[in-house]
Amino acid sequence: MEGEKRPAPYEGLFADGHLVLWTLCSVLLPVFITFWCSLQRSRRQLHRRDIFRKSKHGWRDTDLFSHPTYCCVCAQHILQGAFCDCCGLRVDEGCLKKADKRFHCKEIMLKNDSKALDAMHHHWIRGNVPLCSYCVVCKQQCGSQPKLCDYRCIWCQKTVHDECMKNSLKNEQCDFGEFKNLIIPPSYLTSINQMRKDKKTDYAMLASKLGKQWTPLIILANSRSGTNMGEGLLGEFRILLNPVQVFDVTKTPPVKALQLCTLLPYYSARVLVCGGDGTVGWVLDAVDEMKIKGQEKYIPQVAVLPLGTGNDLSNTLGWGTGYAGEIPVAQVLRNVMEADGVKLDRWKVQVTNKGYYNLRKLKEFTMNNYFSVGPDALMALNFHAHREKAPSLFSSRILNKAVYLFYGTKDCLVQECKDLNKKVELELDGERVELPNLEGIIVLNIGYWGGGCRLWEGMGDETYPLARHDDGLLEVVGVYGSFHCAQIQVKLANPFRIGQAHTVRLILKCSMMPMQVDGEPWAQGPCTVTITHKTHALMLYFSGEQTDDDISSTSDPEDTKETDQKRTT
């Protein structure tokens, strides 16, 4: 044992040093690589944003294209990159700068003021044509080859094969295609600009060249509504229409966006609101401001593409309970062209706090759908309180309804709104109404409530006139609690019908109670609530999928026998 050779001390230190060195390399090298990749990614993002900011294109980047895509510059197949949501160009990240310089986007106004309204040529871009599109020359399918091929006009959306493209087509005048009656041509805006410089306002003569069927459409989309589909819809509408007609109301308020109507002929404009009932109310308030400014002749008719949670107003007007992309945007525009004009009653809701020495201003709301006090307002109040804390968690329509169900179930056990009949007094057209033991009162202007339930007509053998939204009458019903509301929604029970009236007055004598107007809730102390008729709104009703009940409830008031008598039960 004594004769065995021991290792020198420096050899052990040398081995330990190698171990420490390799350990540091294995730890620091991935960190360095990650840091370097992040730095390069940040530089690319800054470069890309700089191009986006200076460009006339509406560039947006994506991590994955939804269908086979080819770069418009290098013609290579790409999975990710950037696309213009106005003209439809798609490019690889490395070709973005070249594409921005080489290709022109849609021009909202023509540079040459001397061009006539009918002298605009096609604007062709090559490749990435829509699926199932057909050549205007040979009538065969376009875009069927796995490469960058064929052409599409970014205005009329016509497509043509590479081999069918001729000089005559390149110089052919564009008629703006299927949606020419909805598009505001760039040449029209150029002429309007020239007329305003010359202090002329005879827009009707200018519009007469576009035809009697020309009803330009303005898109007002809320990119934050419901399922957050608004951002994608904005791009699809910009591709089919003039980008100047498409607005995001979170960036451009409806009051400013609707001033575009003043550049159009009298009574010609239409508006499509993409959002929930709250967004529709916001737009209708902006329309009322146009009336105050003396712009009645420019007031548009309003259609709805429902993106919210309840969507009771859009359901009443025939636009459905919710849009989730089940029909293409082009079909939505066709539905708008086929829609008919109707009137919608709008009501003034005044809430006056109780007390002689109360110096606070009275609250005033405008009601389109309904007013309520009781369990459904309590559910809305709890929902809104949690959505304000974490709005990103409430982007799903199904999840939102599940949250409503949770709070409704909770109220079935707690019954926070019980004995409502002892806390309130109700007057219909000045006559007091005796109430049974209720937990909630709902005042209806439209036929639907609670996400698609026809509350006034109910079910069974009882005959009640269908609720209308243009007769100047309000329907007043009562509910016995949250469980009763759930029974009504699944058609297992009817509400307690209190009556119809032109004016409703509700006095809250004591306690705090939840109230709501069109889904906007608040907690209210003792007060007096007065609901009176305010004005009418011009809406568009789509009858493509209506039922027999819908036909009756939206028929012409001149064809139905109007009644001003109050119904009480």
Side-chain angles (χ1 to χ4, degrees), residues 454-486:
R454 277 197 172 275
L455 197 60
W456 177 252
E457 292 83 7
M459 54 172 289
D461 298 330
E462 300 176 82
T463 57
Y464 283 85
L466 296 174
R468 296 178 57 85
H469 48 73
D470 59 355
D471 58 357
L473 282 173
L474 294 167
E475 288 73 37
V476 186
V477 301
V479 293
Y480 297 108
S482 296
F483 186 69
H484 186 210
C485 290

mmCIF file of all heavy atoms in Angstrom, residues 454-486:
data_model
loop_
_atom_site.group_PDB
_atom_site.id
_atom_site.type_symbol
_atom_site.label_atom_id
_atom_site.label_comp_id
_atom_site.label_asym_id
_atom_site.label_seq_id
_atom_site.Cartn_x
_atom_site.Cartn_y
_atom_site.Cartn_z
ATOM 1 N N ARG A 454 -88.431 34.692 -26.605
ATOM 2 C CA ARG A 454 -89.571 35.584 -26.851
ATOM 3 C C ARG A 454 -90.380 35.680 -25.560
ATOM 4 O O ARG A 454 -91.206 34.819 -25.261
ATOM 5 C CB ARG A 454 -90.433 35.053 -27.996
ATOM 6 C CG ARG A 454 -89.902 35.441 -29.367
ATOM 7 C CD ARG A 454 -90.992 35.266 -30.427
ATOM 8 N NE ARG A 454 -90.582 35.804 -31.704
ATOM 9 C CZ ARG A 454 -90.707 37.062 -32.064
ATOM 10 N NH1 ARG A 454 -91.210 37.936 -31.205
ATOM 11 N NH2 ARG A 454 -90.318 37.474 -33.253
ATOM 12 N N LEU A 455 -90.139 36.757 -24.828
ATOM 13 C CA LEU A 455 -90.656 36.844 -23.466
ATOM 14 C C LEU A 455 -92.143 37.167 -23.425
ATOM 15 O O LEU A 455 -92.899 36.570 -22.655
ATOM 16 C CB LEU A 455 -89.859 37.905 -22.699
ATOM 17 C CG LEU A 455 -89.959 37.876 -21.181
ATOM 18 C CD1 LEU A 455 -89.477 36.547 -20.638
ATOM 19 C CD2 LEU A 455 -89.129 39.001 -20.582
ATOM 20 N N TRP A 456 -92.629 38.086 -24.253
ATOM 21 C CA TRP A 456 -94.008 38.548 -24.151
ATOM 22 C C TRP A 456 -94.998 37.506 -24.667
ATOM 23 O O TRP A 456 -96.019 37.243 -24.041
ATOM 24 C CB TRP A 456 -94.188 39.862 -24.912
ATOM 25 C CG TRP A 456 -95.591 40.376 -24.919
ATOM 26 C CD1 TRP A 456 -96.453 40.393 -25.964
ATOM 27 C CD2 TRP A 456 -96.293 40.952 -23.822
ATOM 28 N NE1 TRP A 456 -97.652 40.950 -25.602
ATOM 29 C CE2 TRP A 456 -97.579 41.306 -24.287
ATOM 30 C CE3 TRP A 456 -95.969 41.206 -22.493
ATOM 31 C CZ2 TRP A 456 -98.541 41.896 -23.465
ATOM 32 C CZ3 TRP A 456 -96.923 41.795 -21.675
ATOM 33 C CH2 TRP A 456 -98.189 42.131 -22.166
ATOM 34 N N GLU A 457 -94.707 36.892 -25.817
ATOM 35 C CA GLU A 457 -95.650 35.934 -26.384
ATOM 36 C C GLU A 457 -95.722 34.663 -25.544
ATOM 37 O O GLU A 457 -96.788 34.090 -25.359
ATOM 38 C CB GLU A 457 -95.250 35.571 -27.819
ATOM 39 C CG GLU A 457 -95.388 36.700 -28.808
ATOM 40 C CD GLU A 457 -94.178 37.621 -28.789
ATOM 41 O OE1 GLU A 457 -93.195 37.307 -28.099
ATOM 42 O OE2 GLU A 457 -94.218 38.667 -29.460
ATOM 43 N N GLY A 458 -94.557 34.220 -25.045
ATOM 44 C CA GLY A 458 -94.543 33.033 -24.201
ATOM 45 C C GLY A 458 -94.943 31.780 -24.949
ATOM 46 O O GLY A 458 -94.691 31.618 -26.143
ATOM 47 N N MET A 459 -95.613 30.873 -24.258
ATOM 48 C CA MET A 459 -96.008 29.584 -24.835
ATOM 49 C C MET A 459 -97.370 29.196 -24.284
ATOM 50 O O MET A 459 -97.921 29.840 -23.387
ATOM 51 C CB MET A 459 -94.985 28.503 -24.473
ATOM 52 C CG MET A 459 -94.739 28.413 -22.976
ATOM 53 S SD MET A 459 -93.725 27.039 -22.497
ATOM 54 C CE MET A 459 -94.851 25.691 -22.793
ATOM 55 N N GLY A 460 -97.967 28.132 -24.835
ATOM 56 C CA GLY A 460 -99.255 27.661 -24.357
ATOM 57 C C GLY A 460 -100.398 28.158 -25.220
ATOM 58 O O GLY A 460 -100.219 28.648 -26.336
ATOM 59 N N ASP A 461 -101.613 28.042 -24.685
ATOM 60 C CA ASP A 461 -102.817 28.379 -25.435
ATOM 61 C C ASP A 461 -103.228 29.842 -25.285
ATOM 62 O O ASP A 461 -104.162 30.293 -25.939
ATOM 63 C CB ASP A 461 -103.981 27.485 -24.971
ATOM 64 C CG ASP A 461 -103.699 26.002 -25.232
ATOM 65 O OD1 ASP A 461 -102.972 25.727 -26.202
ATOM 66 O OD2 ASP A 461 -104.182 25.163 -24.462
ATOM 67 N N GLU A 462 -102.557 30.583 -24.386
ATOM 68 C CA GLU A 462 -102.922 31.987 -24.197
ATOM 69 C C GLU A 462 -102.542 32.791 -25.435
ATOM 70 O O GLU A 462 -101.451 32.660 -25.961
ATOM 71 C CB GLU A 462 -102.215 32.562 -22.976
ATOM 72 C CG GLU A 462 -102.539 31.842 -21.683
ATOM 73 C CD GLU A 462 -101.731 32.396 -20.531
ATOM 74 O OE1 GLU A 462 -102.140 33.433 -19.977
ATOM 75 O OE2 GLU A 462 -100.684 31.808 -20.213
ATOM 76 N N THR A 463 -103.461 33.609 -25.909
ATOM 77 C CA THR A 463 -103.201 34.424 -27.105
ATOM 78 C C THR A 463 -102.833 35.839 -26.685
ATOM 79 O O THR A 463 -103.610 36.531 -26.033
ATOM 80 C CB THR A 463 -104.446 34.459 -28.008
ATOM 81 O OG1 THR A 463 -105.551 34.963 -27.257
ATOM 82 C CG2 THR A 463 -104.774 33.059 -28.516
ATOM 83 N N TYR A 464 -101.653 36.261 -27.070
ATOM 84 C CA TYR A 464 -101.179 37.614 -26.798
ATOM 85 C C TYR A 464 -100.653 38.207 -28.096
ATOM 86 O O TYR A 464 -100.052 37.496 -28.912
ATOM 87 C CB TYR A 464 -100.070 37.607 -25.740
ATOM 88 C CG TYR A 464 -100.582 37.423 -24.344
ATOM 89 C CD1 TYR A 464 -100.816 36.151 -23.843
ATOM 90 C CD2 TYR A 464 -100.845 38.521 -23.538
ATOM 91 C CE1 TYR A 464 -101.297 35.975 -22.552
ATOM 92 C CE2 TYR A 464 -101.320 38.360 -22.247
ATOM 93 C CZ TYR A 464 -101.542 37.080 -21.756
ATOM 94 O OH TYR A 464 -102.021 36.915 -20.483
ATOM 95 N N PRO A 465 -100.893 39.484 -28.315
ATOM 96 C CA PRO A 465 -100.384 40.105 -29.545
ATOM 97 C C PRO A 465 -98.855 40.066 -29.550
ATOM 98 O O PRO A 465 -98.207 40.216 -28.518
ATOM 99 C CB PRO A 465 -100.899 41.546 -29.467
ATOM 100 C CG PRO A 465 -101.130 41.787 -28.007
ATOM 101 C CD PRO A 465 -101.561 40.468 -27.440
ATOM 102 N N LEU A 466 -98.281 39.863 -30.732
ATOM 103 C CA LEU A 466 -96.836 39.817 -30.848
ATOM 104 C C LEU A 466 -96.230 41.175 -30.517
ATOM 105 O O LEU A 466 -96.757 42.213 -30.913
ATOM 106 C CB LEU A 466 -96.433 39.401 -32.258
ATOM 107 C CG LEU A 466 -96.845 37.990 -32.685
ATOM 108 C CD1 LEU A 466 -96.520 37.770 -34.150
ATOM 109 C CD2 LEU A 466 -96.177 36.942 -31.828
ATOM 110 N N ALA A 467 -95.123 41.144 -29.792
ATOM 111 C CA ALA A 467 -94.444 42.394 -29.452
ATOM 112 C C ALA A 467 -93.833 43.003 -30.712
ATOM 113 O O ALA A 467 -93.236 42.310 -31.528
ATOM 114 C CB ALA A 467 -93.367 42.128 -28.406
ATOM 115 N N ARG A 468 -93.983 44.307 -30.878
ATOM 116 C CA ARG A 468 -93.424 45.027 -32.015
ATOM 117 C C ARG A 468 -92.398 46.038 -31.516
ATOM 118 O O ARG A 468 -92.452 46.470 -30.362
ATOM 119 C CB ARG A 468 -94.530 45.754 -32.790
ATOM 120 C CG ARG A 468 -95.562 44.825 -33.426
ATOM 121 C CD ARG A 468 -96.632 45.650 -34.128
ATOM 122 N NE ARG A 468 -96.043 46.528 -35.128
ATOM 123 C CZ ARG A 468 -95.760 46.171 -36.380
ATOM 124 N NH1 ARG A 468 -96.000 44.943 -36.777
ATOM 125 N NH2 ARG A 468 -95.227 47.019 -37.237
ATOM 126 N N HIS A 469 -91.516 46.407 -32.403
ATOM 127 C CA HIS A 469 -90.464 47.361 -32.021
ATOM 128 C C HIS A 469 -90.687 48.728 -32.664
ATOM 129 O O HIS A 469 -89.789 49.563 -32.641
ATOM 130 C CB HIS A 469 -89.089 46.823 -32.425
ATOM 131 C CG HIS A 469 -89.020 46.318 -33.834
ATOM 132 N ND1 HIS A 469 -89.024 47.152 -34.920
ATOM 133 C CD2 HIS A 469 -88.978 45.053 -34.318
ATOM 134 C CE1 HIS A 469 -88.964 46.426 -36.020
ATOM 135 N NE2 HIS A 469 -88.935 45.148 -35.696
ATOM 136 N N ASP A 470 -91.868 48.950 -33.222
ATOM 137 C CA ASP A 470 -92.125 50.227 -33.894
ATOM 138 C C ASP A 470 -93.517 50.770 -33.615
ATOM 139 O O ASP A 470 -94.000 51.642 -34.341
ATOM 140 C CB ASP A 470 -91.924 50.065 -35.402
ATOM 141 C CG ASP A 470 -92.852 49.008 -36.001
ATOM 142 O OD1 ASP A 470 -93.583 48.344 -35.230
ATOM 143 O OD2 ASP A 470 -92.851 48.842 -37.230
ATOM 144 N N ASP A 471 -94.197 50.269 -32.556
ATOM 145 C CA ASP A 471 -95.583 50.664 -32.299
ATOM 146 C C ASP A 471 -95.722 51.688 -31.182
ATOM 147 O O ASP A 471 -96.835 52.069 -30.812
ATOM 148 C CB ASP A 471 -96.428 49.431 -31.976
ATOM 149 C CG ASP A 471 -95.903 48.653 -30.773
ATOM 150 O OD1 ASP A 471 -94.844 49.050 -30.225
ATOM 151 O OD2 ASP A 471 -96.527 47.659 -30.382
ATOM 152 N N GLY A 472 -94.612 52.134 -30.597
ATOM 153 C CA GLY A 472 -94.681 53.105 -29.516
ATOM 154 C C GLY A 472 -95.183 52.536 -28.210
ATOM 155 O O GLY A 472 -95.552 53.289 -27.305
ATOM 156 N N LEU A 473 -95.214 51.212 -28.083
ATOM 157 C CA LEU A 473 -95.679 50.555 -26.872
ATOM 158 C C LEU A 473 -94.556 49.747 -26.239
ATOM 159 O O LEU A 473 -93.710 49.172 -26.938
ATOM 160 C CB LEU A 473 -96.849 49.615 -27.174
ATOM 161 C CG LEU A 473 -98.233 50.247 -27.363
ATOM 162 C CD1 LEU A 473 -99.226 49.190 -27.814
ATOM 163 C CD2 LEU A 473 -98.705 50.894 -26.073
ATOM 164 N N LEU A 474 -94.565 49.701 -24.916
ATOM 165 C CA LEU A 474 -93.648 48.871 -24.154
ATOM 166 C C LEU A 474 -94.415 47.712 -23.535
ATOM 167 O O LEU A 474 -95.556 47.877 -23.098
ATOM 168 C CB LEU A 474 -92.977 49.683 -23.043
ATOM 169 C CG LEU A 474 -92.028 50.806 -23.483
ATOM 170 C CD1 LEU A 474 -91.702 51.702 -22.301
ATOM 171 C CD2 LEU A 474 -90.745 50.220 -24.086
ATOM 172 N N GLU A 475 -93.787 46.538 -23.510
ATOM 173 C CA GLU A 475 -94.362 45.368 -22.841
ATOM 174 C C GLU A 475 -93.682 45.206 -21.485
ATOM 175 O O GLU A 475 -92.444 45.231 -21.405
ATOM 176 C CB GLU A 475 -94.162 44.107 -23.681
ATOM 177 C CG GLU A 475 -95.024 44.034 -24.932
ATOM 178 C CD GLU A 475 -94.564 44.975 -26.023
ATOM 179 O OE1 GLU A 475 -93.345 45.146 -26.174
ATOM 180 O OE2 GLU A 475 -95.433 45.544 -26.719
ATOM 181 N N VAL A 476 -94.491 45.036 -20.433
ATOM 182 C CA VAL A 476 -93.962 44.937 -19.071
ATOM 183 C C VAL A 476 -94.331 43.570 -18.504
ATOM 184 O O VAL A 476 -95.506 43.190 -18.501
ATOM 185 C CB VAL A 476 -94.527 46.053 -18.172
ATOM 186 C CG1 VAL A 476 -93.847 46.022 -16.801
ATOM 187 C CG2 VAL A 476 -94.348 47.414 -18.812
ATOM 188 N N VAL A 477 -93.316 42.834 -18.043
ATOM 189 C CA VAL A 477 -93.535 41.493 -17.475
ATOM 190 C C VAL A 477 -92.794 41.388 -16.156
ATOM 191 O O VAL A 477 -91.896 42.180 -15.854
ATOM 192 C CB VAL A 477 -93.061 40.383 -18.443
ATOM 193 C CG1 VAL A 477 -93.795 40.462 -19.762
ATOM 194 C CG2 VAL A 477 -91.554 40.468 -18.670
ATOM 195 N N GLY A 478 -93.169 40.383 -15.384
ATOM 196 C CA GLY A 478 -92.504 40.116 -14.118
ATOM 197 C C GLY A 478 -92.004 38.687 -14.063
ATOM 198 O O GLY A 478 -92.543 37.801 -14.730
ATOM 199 N N VAL A 479 -90.954 38.453 -13.255
ATOM 200 C CA VAL A 479 -90.415 37.112 -13.051
ATOM 201 C C VAL A 479 -90.326 36.856 -11.548
ATOM 202 O O VAL A 479 -90.163 37.781 -10.749
ATOM 203 C CB VAL A 479 -89.026 36.945 -13.708
ATOM 204 C CG1 VAL A 479 -89.136 37.008 -15.215
ATOM 205 C CG2 VAL A 479 -88.040 38.002 -13.215
ATOM 206 N N TYR A 480 -90.430 35.571 -11.196
ATOM 207 C CA TYR A 480 -90.474 35.191 -9.783
ATOM 208 C C TYR A 480 -89.093 34.867 -9.209
ATOM 209 O O TYR A 480 -88.990 34.564 -8.020
ATOM 210 C CB TYR A 480 -91.397 33.989 -9.590
ATOM 211 C CG TYR A 480 -92.834 34.287 -9.965
ATOM 212 C CD1 TYR A 480 -93.384 33.744 -11.103
ATOM 213 C CD2 TYR A 480 -93.621 35.124 -9.168
ATOM 214 C CE1 TYR A 480 -94.696 34.011 -11.457
ATOM 215 C CE2 TYR A 480 -94.931 35.401 -9.512
ATOM 216 C CZ TYR A 480 -95.468 34.845 -10.658
ATOM 217 O OH TYR A 480 -96.775 35.128 -11.008
ATOM 218 N N GLY A 481 -88.067 34.917 -10.062
ATOM 219 C CA GLY A 481 -86.724 34.640 -9.584
ATOM 220 C C GLY A 481 -85.835 34.119 -10.694
ATOM 221 O O GLY A 481 -86.252 33.980 -11.853
ATOM 222 N N SER A 482 -84.576 33.811 -10.346
ATOM 223 C CA SER A 482 -83.624 33.318 -11.338
ATOM 224 C C SER A 482 -84.053 31.972 -11.908
ATOM 225 O O SER A 482 -83.880 31.704 -13.102
ATOM 226 C CB SER A 482 -82.231 33.202 -10.715
ATOM 227 O OG SER A 482 -81.741 34.465 -10.330
ATOM 228 N N PHE A 483 -84.598 31.112 -11.053
ATOM 229 C CA PHE A 483 -85.046 29.807 -11.539
ATOM 230 C C PHE A 483 -86.207 29.959 -12.514
ATOM 231 O O PHE A 483 -86.294 29.244 -13.519
ATOM 232 C CB PHE A 483 -85.453 28.918 -10.363
ATOM 233 C CG PHE A 483 -85.797 27.509 -10.759
ATOM 234 C CD1 PHE A 483 -84.806 26.647 -11.215
ATOM 235 C CD2 PHE A 483 -87.098 27.048 -10.689
ATOM 236 C CE1 PHE A 483 -85.122 25.348 -11.592
ATOM 237 C CE2 PHE A 483 -87.420 25.764 -11.073
ATOM 238 C CZ PHE A 483 -86.425 24.906 -11.520
ATOM 239 N N HIS A 484 -87.066 30.909 -12.251
ATOM 240 C CA HIS A 484 -88.178 31.195 -13.174
ATOM 241 C C HIS A 484 -87.635 31.705 -14.511
ATOM 242 O O HIS A 484 -88.138 31.336 -15.590
ATOM 243 C CB HIS A 484 -89.127 32.215 -12.546
ATOM 244 C CG HIS A 484 -90.361 32.460 -13.349
ATOM 245 N ND1 HIS A 484 -91.026 33.669 -13.347
ATOM 246 C CD2 HIS A 484 -91.059 31.656 -14.192
ATOM 247 C CE1 HIS A 484 -92.067 33.588 -14.146
ATOM 248 N NE2 HIS A 484 -92.118 32.377 -14.665
ATOM 249 N N CYS A 485 -86.599 32.539 -14.483
ATOM 250 C CA CYS A 485 -85.969 33.014 -15.720
ATOM 251 C C CYS A 485 -85.424 31.842 -16.536
ATOM 252 O O CYS A 485 -85.573 31.792 -17.764
ATOM 253 C CB CYS A 485 -84.828 33.989 -15.401
ATOM 254 S SG CYS A 485 -85.358 35.587 -14.750
ATOM 255 N N ALA A 486 -84.800 30.879 -15.830
ATOM 256 C CA ALA A 486 -84.262 29.712 -16.530
ATOM 257 C C ALA A 486 -85.377 28.878 -17.141
ATOM 258 O O ALA A 486 -85.248 28.373 -18.264
ATOM 259 C CB ALA A 486 -83.433 28.873 -15.559
#
